[in-house]
mmCIF file with all atom_site columns, all heavy atoms in Angstrom:
data_model
loop_
_atom_site.group_PDB
_atom_site.id
_atom_site.type_symbol
_atom_site.label_atom_id
_atom_site.label_alt_id
_atom_site.label_comp_id
_atom_site.label_asym_id
_atom_site.label_entity_id
_atom_site.label_seq_id
_atom_site.pdbx_PDB_ins_code
_atom_site.Cartn_x
_atom_site.Cartn_y
_atom_site.Cartn_z
_atom_site.occupancy
_atom_site.B_iso_or_equiv
_atom_site.pdbx_formal_charge
_atom_site.auth_seq_id
_atom_site.auth_comp_id
_atom_site.auth_asym_id
_atom_site.auth_atom_id
_atom_site.pdbx_PDB_model_num
ATOM 1   N N   . GLN A 1 214 ? 16.253 -13.985 9.047  1.00 0.00 ? 214 GLN A N   1
ATOM 2   C CA  . GLN A 1 214 ? 16.926 -14.903 8.133  1.00 0.00 ? 214 GLN A CA  1
ATOM 3   C C   . GLN A 1 214 ? 18.456 -14.852 8.230  1.00 0.00 ? 214 GLN A C   1
ATOM 4   O O   . GLN A 1 214 ? 19.145 -15.409 7.382  1.00 0.00 ? 214 GLN A O   1
ATOM 5   C CB  . GLN A 1 214 ? 16.514 -14.580 6.692  1.00 0.00 ? 214 GLN A CB  1
ATOM 6   C CG  . GLN A 1 214 ? 15.017 -14.640 6.439  1.00 0.00 ? 214 GLN A CG  1
ATOM 7   C CD  . GLN A 1 214 ? 14.462 -16.033 6.607  1.00 0.00 ? 214 GLN A CD  1
ATOM 8   O OE1 . GLN A 1 214 ? 15.103 -17.027 6.265  1.00 0.00 ? 214 GLN A OE1 1
ATOM 9   N NE2 . GLN A 1 214 ? 13.252 -16.132 7.149  1.00 0.00 ? 214 GLN A NE2 1
ATOM 10  N N   . ALA A 1 440 ? 0.990  -19.722 2.337  1.00 0.00 ? 440 ALA A N   1
ATOM 11  C CA  . ALA A 1 440 ? 1.660  -18.442 2.547  1.00 0.00 ? 440 ALA A CA  1
ATOM 12  C C   . ALA A 1 440 ? 3.082  -18.666 3.022  1.00 0.00 ? 440 ALA A C   1
ATOM 13  O O   . ALA A 1 440 ? 3.426  -19.736 3.552  1.00 0.00 ? 440 ALA A O   1
ATOM 14  C CB  . ALA A 1 440 ? 0.891  -17.588 3.558  1.00 0.00 ? 440 ALA A CB  1
ATOM 15  N N   . TYR A 1 441 ? 3.900  -17.637 2.827  1.00 0.00 ? 441 TYR A N   1
ATOM 16  C CA  . TYR A 1 441 ? 5.244  -17.619 3.409  1.00 0.00 ? 441 TYR A CA  1
ATOM 17  C C   . TYR A 1 441 ? 5.111  -17.195 4.872  1.00 0.00 ? 441 TYR A C   1
ATOM 18  O O   . TYR A 1 441 ? 4.402  -16.236 5.185  1.00 0.00 ? 441 TYR A O   1
ATOM 19  C CB  . TYR A 1 441 ? 6.141  -16.655 2.649  1.00 0.00 ? 441 TYR A CB  1
ATOM 20  C CG  . TYR A 1 441 ? 7.528  -16.505 3.225  1.00 0.00 ? 441 TYR A CG  1
ATOM 21  C CD1 . TYR A 1 441 ? 8.416  -17.576 3.209  1.00 0.00 ? 441 TYR A CD1 1
ATOM 22  C CD2 . TYR A 1 441 ? 7.949  -15.305 3.772  1.00 0.00 ? 441 TYR A CD2 1
ATOM 23  C CE1 . TYR A 1 441 ? 9.687  -17.452 3.733  1.00 0.00 ? 441 TYR A CE1 1
ATOM 24  C CE2 . TYR A 1 441 ? 9.212  -15.168 4.298  1.00 0.00 ? 441 TYR A CE2 1
ATOM 25  C CZ  . TYR A 1 441 ? 10.083 -16.243 4.278  1.00 0.00 ? 441 TYR A CZ  1
ATOM 26  O OH  . TYR A 1 441 ? 11.341 -16.114 4.810  1.00 0.00 ? 441 TYR A OH  1
ATOM 27  N N   . LYS A 1 442 ? 5.782  -17.877 5.767  1.00 0.00 ? 442 LYS A N   1
ATOM 28  C CA  . LYS A 1 442 ? 5.599  -17.647 7.202  1.00 0.00 ? 442 LYS A CA  1
ATOM 29  C C   . LYS A 1 442 ? 6.390  -16.418 7.630  1.00 0.00 ? 442 LYS A C   1
ATOM 30  O O   . LYS A 1 442 ? 7.471  -16.504 8.203  1.00 0.00 ? 442 LYS A O   1
ATOM 31  C CB  . LYS A 1 442 ? 6.019  -18.880 7.999  1.00 0.00 ? 442 LYS A CB  1
ATOM 32  C CG  . LYS A 1 442 ? 5.498  -18.868 9.438  1.00 0.00 ? 442 LYS A CG  1
ATOM 33  C CD  . LYS A 1 442 ? 5.707  -20.203 10.115 1.00 0.00 ? 442 LYS A CD  1
ATOM 34  C CE  . LYS A 1 442 ? 5.073  -20.220 11.496 1.00 0.00 ? 442 LYS A CE  1
ATOM 35  N NZ  . LYS A 1 442 ? 5.223  -21.529 12.165 1.00 0.00 ? 442 LYS A NZ  1
ATOM 36  N N   . ASP A 1 443 ? 5.815  -15.252 7.378  1.00 0.00 ? 443 ASP A N   1
ATOM 37  C CA  . ASP A 1 443 ? 6.417  -13.992 7.815  1.00 0.00 ? 443 ASP A CA  1
ATOM 38  C C   . ASP A 1 443 ? 6.058  -13.718 9.271  1.00 0.00 ? 443 ASP A C   1
ATOM 39  O O   . ASP A 1 443 ? 5.012  -14.152 9.763  1.00 0.00 ? 443 ASP A O   1
ATOM 40  C CB  . ASP A 1 443 ? 5.928  -12.829 6.945  1.00 0.00 ? 443 ASP A CB  1
ATOM 41  C CG  . ASP A 1 443 ? 6.725  -12.713 5.652  1.00 0.00 ? 443 ASP A CG  1
ATOM 42  O OD1 . ASP A 1 443 ? 7.964  -12.750 5.733  1.00 0.00 ? 443 ASP A OD1 1
ATOM 43  O OD2 . ASP A 1 443 ? 6.115  -12.603 4.588  1.00 0.00 ? 443 ASP A OD2 1
ATOM 44  N N   . ILE A 1 444 ? 6.908  -12.952 9.921  1.00 0.00 ? 444 ILE A N   1
ATOM 45  C CA  . ILE A 1 444 ? 6.710  -12.655 11.331 1.00 0.00 ? 444 ILE A CA  1
ATOM 46  C C   . ILE A 1 444 ? 5.506  -11.747 11.550 1.00 0.00 ? 444 ILE A C   1
ATOM 47  O O   . ILE A 1 444 ? 4.911  -11.713 12.628 1.00 0.00 ? 444 ILE A O   1
ATOM 48  C CB  . ILE A 1 444 ? 7.996  -12.023 11.926 1.00 0.00 ? 444 ILE A CB  1
ATOM 49  C CG1 . ILE A 1 444 ? 7.939  -12.041 13.447 1.00 0.00 ? 444 ILE A CG1 1
ATOM 50  C CG2 . ILE A 1 444 ? 8.212  -10.631 11.382 1.00 0.00 ? 444 ILE A CG2 1
ATOM 51  C CD1 . ILE A 1 444 ? 9.255  -11.643 14.094 1.00 0.00 ? 444 ILE A CD1 1
ATOM 52  N N   . LEU A 1 446 ? 2.590  -11.764 9.630  1.00 0.00 ? 446 LEU A N   1
ATOM 53  C CA  . LEU A 1 446 ? 1.376  -12.232 8.968  1.00 0.00 ? 446 LEU A CA  1
ATOM 54  C C   . LEU A 1 446 ? 0.165  -12.183 9.906  1.00 0.00 ? 446 LEU A C   1
ATOM 55  O O   . LEU A 1 446 ? -0.906 -11.705 9.532  1.00 0.00 ? 446 LEU A O   1
ATOM 56  C CB  . LEU A 1 446 ? 1.575  -13.647 8.432  1.00 0.00 ? 446 LEU A CB  1
ATOM 57  C CG  . LEU A 1 446 ? 0.377  -14.257 7.704  1.00 0.00 ? 446 LEU A CG  1
ATOM 58  C CD1 . LEU A 1 446 ? -0.024 -13.409 6.508  1.00 0.00 ? 446 LEU A CD1 1
ATOM 59  C CD2 . LEU A 1 446 ? 0.679  -15.683 7.258  1.00 0.00 ? 446 LEU A CD2 1
ATOM 60  N N   . GLU A 1 469 ? -2.784 -26.258 10.242 1.00 0.00 ? 469 GLU A N   1
ATOM 61  C CA  . GLU A 1 469 ? -1.538 -25.505 10.405 1.00 0.00 ? 469 GLU A CA  1
ATOM 62  C C   . GLU A 1 469 ? -0.428 -26.034 9.510  1.00 0.00 ? 469 GLU A C   1
ATOM 63  O O   . GLU A 1 469 ? 0.383  -25.270 8.984  1.00 0.00 ? 469 GLU A O   1
ATOM 64  C CB  . GLU A 1 469 ? -1.108 -25.559 11.871 1.00 0.00 ? 469 GLU A CB  1
ATOM 65  C CG  . GLU A 1 469 ? -0.038 -24.547 12.253 1.00 0.00 ? 469 GLU A CG  1
ATOM 66  C CD  . GLU A 1 469 ? -0.535 -23.116 12.220 1.00 0.00 ? 469 GLU A CD  1
ATOM 67  O OE1 . GLU A 1 469 ? -1.764 -22.915 12.325 1.00 0.00 ? 469 GLU A OE1 1
ATOM 68  O OE2 . GLU A 1 469 ? 0.294  -22.203 12.082 1.00 0.00 ? 469 GLU A OE2 1
ATOM 69  N N   . PHE A 1 473 ? 1.651  -23.035 5.406  1.00 0.00 ? 473 PHE A N   1
ATOM 70  C CA  . PHE A 1 473 ? 2.893  -22.331 5.092  1.00 0.00 ? 473 PHE A CA  1
ATOM 71  C C   . PHE A 1 473 ? 3.800  -23.180 4.208  1.00 0.00 ? 473 PHE A C   1
ATOM 72  O O   . PHE A 1 473 ? 3.885  -24.399 4.368  1.00 0.00 ? 473 PHE A O   1
ATOM 73  C CB  . PHE A 1 473 ? 3.614  -21.937 6.383  1.00 0.00 ? 473 PHE A CB  1
ATOM 74  C CG  . PHE A 1 473 ? 2.775  -21.100 7.308  1.00 0.00 ? 473 PHE A CG  1
ATOM 75  C CD1 . PHE A 1 473 ? 2.220  -21.643 8.463  1.00 0.00 ? 473 PHE A CD1 1
ATOM 76  C CD2 . PHE A 1 473 ? 2.511  -19.773 7.014  1.00 0.00 ? 473 PHE A CD2 1
ATOM 77  C CE1 . PHE A 1 473 ? 1.433  -20.880 9.299  1.00 0.00 ? 473 PHE A CE1 1
ATOM 78  C CE2 . PHE A 1 473 ? 1.728  -18.996 7.845  1.00 0.00 ? 473 PHE A CE2 1
ATOM 79  C CZ  . PHE A 1 473 ? 1.182  -19.555 8.992  1.00 0.00 ? 473 PHE A CZ  1
ATOM 80  N N   . ARG A 1 474 ? 4.484  -22.491 3.288  1.00 0.00 ? 474 ARG A N   1
ATOM 81  C CA  . ARG A 1 474 ? 5.450  -23.119 2.395  1.00 0.00 ? 474 ARG A CA  1
ATOM 82  C C   . ARG A 1 474 ? 6.619  -22.155 2.193  1.00 0.00 ? 474 ARG A C   1
ATOM 83  O O   . ARG A 1 474 ? 6.423  -20.930 2.179  1.00 0.00 ? 474 ARG A O   1
ATOM 84  C CB  . ARG A 1 474 ? 4.828  -23.431 1.034  1.00 0.00 ? 474 ARG A CB  1
ATOM 85  C CG  . ARG A 1 474 ? 3.755  -24.520 1.060  1.00 0.00 ? 474 ARG A CG  1
ATOM 86  C CD  . ARG A 1 474 ? 4.356  -25.889 1.292  1.00 0.00 ? 474 ARG A CD  1
ATOM 87  N NE  . ARG A 1 474 ? 3.349  -26.929 1.247  1.00 0.00 ? 474 ARG A NE  1
ATOM 88  C CZ  . ARG A 1 474 ? 2.612  -27.326 2.274  1.00 0.00 ? 474 ARG A CZ  1
ATOM 89  N NH1 . ARG A 1 474 ? 2.774  -26.729 3.458  1.00 0.00 ? 474 ARG A NH1 1
ATOM 90  N NH2 . ARG A 1 474 ? 1.722  -28.272 2.152  1.00 0.00 ? 474 ARG A NH2 1
ATOM 91  N N   . TYR A 1 490 ? -0.449 -18.266 -3.619 1.00 0.00 ? 490 TYR A N   1
ATOM 92  C CA  . TYR A 1 490 ? 0.615  -18.215 -2.606 1.00 0.00 ? 490 TYR A CA  1
ATOM 93  C C   . TYR A 1 490 ? 0.786  -16.776 -2.139 1.00 0.00 ? 490 TYR A C   1
ATOM 94  O O   . TYR A 1 490 ? 0.884  -15.854 -2.953 1.00 0.00 ? 490 TYR A O   1
ATOM 95  C CB  . TYR A 1 490 ? 1.916  -18.727 -3.210 1.00 0.00 ? 490 TYR A CB  1
ATOM 96  C CG  . TYR A 1 490 ? 3.083  -18.776 -2.250 1.00 0.00 ? 490 TYR A CG  1
ATOM 97  C CD1 . TYR A 1 490 ? 3.094  -19.666 -1.186 1.00 0.00 ? 490 TYR A CD1 1
ATOM 98  C CD2 . TYR A 1 490 ? 4.173  -17.933 -2.416 1.00 0.00 ? 490 TYR A CD2 1
ATOM 99  C CE1 . TYR A 1 490 ? 4.169  -19.719 -0.301 1.00 0.00 ? 490 TYR A CE1 1
ATOM 100 C CE2 . TYR A 1 490 ? 5.250  -17.973 -1.545 1.00 0.00 ? 490 TYR A CE2 1
ATOM 101 C CZ  . TYR A 1 490 ? 5.245  -18.870 -0.491 1.00 0.00 ? 490 TYR A CZ  1
ATOM 102 O OH  . TYR A 1 490 ? 6.306  -18.914 0.384  1.00 0.00 ? 490 TYR A OH  1
ATOM 103 N N   . HIS A 1 491 ? 0.820  -16.584 -0.811 1.00 0.00 ? 491 HIS A N   1
ATOM 104 C CA  . HIS A 1 491 ? 0.920  -15.243 -0.236 1.00 0.00 ? 491 HIS A CA  1
ATOM 105 C C   . HIS A 1 491 ? 2.342  -14.962 0.242  1.00 0.00 ? 491 HIS A C   1
ATOM 106 O O   . HIS A 1 491 ? 2.955  -15.789 0.928  1.00 0.00 ? 491 HIS A O   1
ATOM 107 C CB  . HIS A 1 491 ? -0.035 -15.091 0.950  1.00 0.00 ? 491 HIS A CB  1
ATOM 108 C CG  . HIS A 1 491 ? 0.108  -13.770 1.648  1.00 0.00 ? 491 HIS A CG  1
ATOM 109 N ND1 . HIS A 1 491 ? 0.970  -13.571 2.705  1.00 0.00 ? 491 HIS A ND1 1
ATOM 110 C CD2 . HIS A 1 491 ? -0.486 -12.562 1.415  1.00 0.00 ? 491 HIS A CD2 1
ATOM 111 C CE1 . HIS A 1 491 ? 0.889  -12.318 3.109  1.00 0.00 ? 491 HIS A CE1 1
ATOM 112 N NE2 . HIS A 1 491 ? 0.017  -11.685 2.344  1.00 0.00 ? 491 HIS A NE2 1
#
Side-chain angles (χ1 to χ4, degrees):
Q214 303 295 324
Y441 177 66
K442 196 169 185 178
D443 277 312
I444 195 171
L446 180 59
E469 195 68 23
F473 303 105
R474 292 288 183 273
Y490 182 68
H491 175 269

